[in-house]
């Protein structure tokens, strides 16, 4: 089976490589010419533009996007749609907001172009281990491209599936990422507590390795924690600054809209916000209030 691939960053490039290794023909395009050349060296058919990519695919065509969510995805889908025909399929594998995916599917349906929103998890390890794929959209389009999903997944019978109508794939991936926030925060807090127990002089890399086997908290995230601590036991090379890419915010907003409490995920998102602040105002206000009502000592700013 052949597939057009737009967006050859690390994840998109790795996905293209995994598909080619499984025998699929990949026509690849990226605004960065060097990225296209790299894919050509690995066996892909290079394209110099979106129109050129479409011209190199046989009908019915399928084009997979791996570009940043928001405006880049919006612009790229518009450009692709102008080149495709009735019965062609666009797959959005980025972390798009699910409501945008619903809207895009409706827009493309007017042009008789099919749309699949594909939540993709696997990160930089996906090339070797495979990707988890949560697919929303028309079931017939999913079945048509199932060999692609089977080749990307960890195995042909697991790790992927059609989860519902348009928007469902990105909705499920959004919740997945919200859960990921909570799991990461729990590990971070636990290791911080052990690091603070100085009298025991705990060996955190050793403990991470112990926990990886037989415990109820073993996971791939714990494997990654063990790898990070092995490389830098005190994490001295890093700043306590944690970004978020939007999925956690969307998950929390959805919980408000549905009146479903998700306190752990919400607090993990708030912890990321706090990590980016230098001398945050809130704790200063706490110190000021304690000083005002009780005369408690405060530390003056430098």
């Amino acid at each position: 089976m052949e597939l057009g691939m737009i967006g050859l960053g690390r994840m998109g490039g790795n996905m293209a490589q995994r598909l080619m290794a499984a025998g699929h023909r990949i026509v690849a395009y990226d605004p960065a010419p060097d990225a296209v050349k790299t894919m050509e060296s690995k066996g892909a058919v290079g394209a110099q533009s979106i129109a050129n990519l479409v011209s190199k695919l046989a009908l019915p065509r399928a084009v997979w996007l791996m570009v940043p969510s928001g405006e880049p995805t919006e612009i790229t889908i518009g450009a692709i749609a102008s080149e495709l025909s009735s019965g062609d399929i666009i797959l959005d594998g980025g972390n798009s907001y699910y409501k945008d995916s619903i809207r895009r599917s409706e827009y493309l349906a007017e042009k008789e172009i099919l749309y699949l929103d594909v939540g993709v998890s696997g990160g930089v390890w996906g090339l070797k281990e495979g990707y988890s794929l949560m697919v929303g959209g028309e079931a017939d389009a999913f079945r048509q491209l199932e060999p692609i999903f089977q080749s990307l997944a960890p195995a042909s019978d697991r790790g992927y599936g059609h989860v519902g109508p348009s928007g469902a794939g990105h909705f499920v991936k959004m919740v997945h990422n919200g859960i990921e926030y909570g799991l990461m925060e729990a590990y971070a807090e636990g290791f911080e507590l052990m690091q603070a127990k100085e009298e025991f002089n705990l060996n955190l890399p050793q403990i991470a390795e112990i926990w990886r086997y037989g415990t109820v908290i073993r996971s791939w995230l714990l494997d990654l924690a063990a790898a990070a601590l092995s490389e830098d036991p005190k994490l001295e090379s890093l700043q306590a600054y944690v970004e978020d890419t939007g999925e956690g915010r969307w998950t929390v907003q959805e919980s408000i809209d549905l009146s479903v409490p998700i306190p752990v995920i919400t607090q993990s998102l708030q912890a990321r916000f706090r990590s980016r602040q230098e001398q945050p105002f809130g704790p200063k206000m706490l110190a000021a209030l304690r000083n005002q009502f009780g005369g408690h000592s405060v530390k003056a700013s430098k």
Side-chain angles (χ1 to χ4, degrees):
M1 180 171 284
E2 69 174 12
L3 182 73
M5 180 73 76
I6 297 178
L8 305 174
R10 191 170 187 180
M11 195 161 181
N14 284 351
M15 292 173 71
Q17 289 184 63
R18 187 173 174 89
L19 288 169
M20 288 187 289
H24 299 283
R25 178 178 182 265
I26 299 298
V27 181
Y29 170 70
D30 191 281
D34 287 346
V36 177
K37 291 179 181 178
T38 297
M39 281 297 104
E40 287 178 325
S41 71
K42 297 180 183 297
V45 177
Q48 288 66 57
S49 66
I50 289 175
N52 184 236
L53 177 143
V54 171
S55 72
K56 295 182 178 183
L57 295 170
L59 292 169
R61 294 163 292 207
V63 182
W64 190 309
L65 277 67
M66 288 301 293
V67 300
S69 63
E71 187 175 1
T73 295
E74 195 77 18
I75 292 172
T76 306
I77 286 179
I80 298 171
S82 66
E83 301 291 340
L84 296 182
S85 305
S86 174
D88 291 342
I89 303 173
I90 293 176
L91 304 93
D92 177 9
N95 283 325
S96 291
Y97 185 37
Y98 81 95
K99 291 184 179 180
D100 288 338
S101 297
I102 294 172
R103 174 178 53 78
R104 289 165 184 156
S105 72
E106 294 170 349
Y107 159 73
L108 292 169
E110 295 176 357
K111 300 177 177 293
E112 299 183 339
I113 297 170
L114 300 169
Y115 175 81
L116 294 175
D117 52 288
V118 187
V120 182
S121 181
V124 298
W125 294 90
L127 175 59
K128 178 183 177 183
E129 304 291 339
Y131 299 89
S132 174
L133 305 165
M134 301 142 259
V135 187
E138 291 192 20
D140 287 345
F142 168 80
R143 285 190 288 269
Q144 184 176 331
L145 295 179
E146 192 164 5
I148 293 291
F149 304 133
Q150 290 175 323
S151 295
L152 286 171
S156 61
D157 61 346
R158 64 179 67 94
Y160 77 96
H162 180 250
V163 298
S166 293
H170 282 150
F171 181 84
V172 172
K173 178 55 166 44
M174 177 191 77
V175 176
H176 163 283
N177 282 22
I179 293 170
E180 179 183 296
Y181 278 37
L183 292 171
M184 292 172 69
E185 181 64 22
Y187 281 125
E189 291 177 8
F191 279 102
E192 182 175 14
L193 184 60
M194 290 188 292
Q195 191 269 341
K197 192 65 173 176
E198 295 179 356
E199 66 195 77
F200 285 164
N201 193 29
L202 297 174
N203 184 328
L204 299 189
Q206 177 203 27
I207 292 166
E209 285 295 330
I210 292 171
W211 284 357
R212 289 180 63 204
Y213 303 97
T215 71
V216 297
I217 61 168
R218 63 188 185 273
S219 71
W220 184 50
L221 281 173
L222 182 58
D223 294 342
L224 298 178
L229 290 167
S230 175
E231 296 168 3
D232 187 359
K234 295 185 178 180
L235 303 182
E236 293 173 323
S237 63
L238 301 174
Q239 294 185 27
Y241 185 100
V242 187
E243 284 285 6
D244 73 283
T245 54
E247 296 89 345
R249 301 179 190 223
W250 299 336
T251 305
V252 171
Q253 184 59 55
E254 196 69 25
S255 80
I256 295 169
D257 294 343
L258 296 176
S259 299
V260 175
I262 53 170
V264 171
I265 293 174
T266 300
Q267 286 299 107
S268 68
L269 177 63
Q270 298 293 333
R272 294 191 179 201
F273 295 159
R274 180 65 83 191
S275 77
R276 300 172 210 160
Q277 296 180 306
E278 294 184 11
Q279 293 295 319
F281 186 80
K284 291 182 180 181
M285 179 57 74
L286 287 174
L289 289 172
R290 291 184 76 247
N291 179 255
Q292 288 289 327
F293 72 68
H296 298 289
S297 62
V298 295
K299 288 187 176 182
S301 61
K302 296 180 180 180

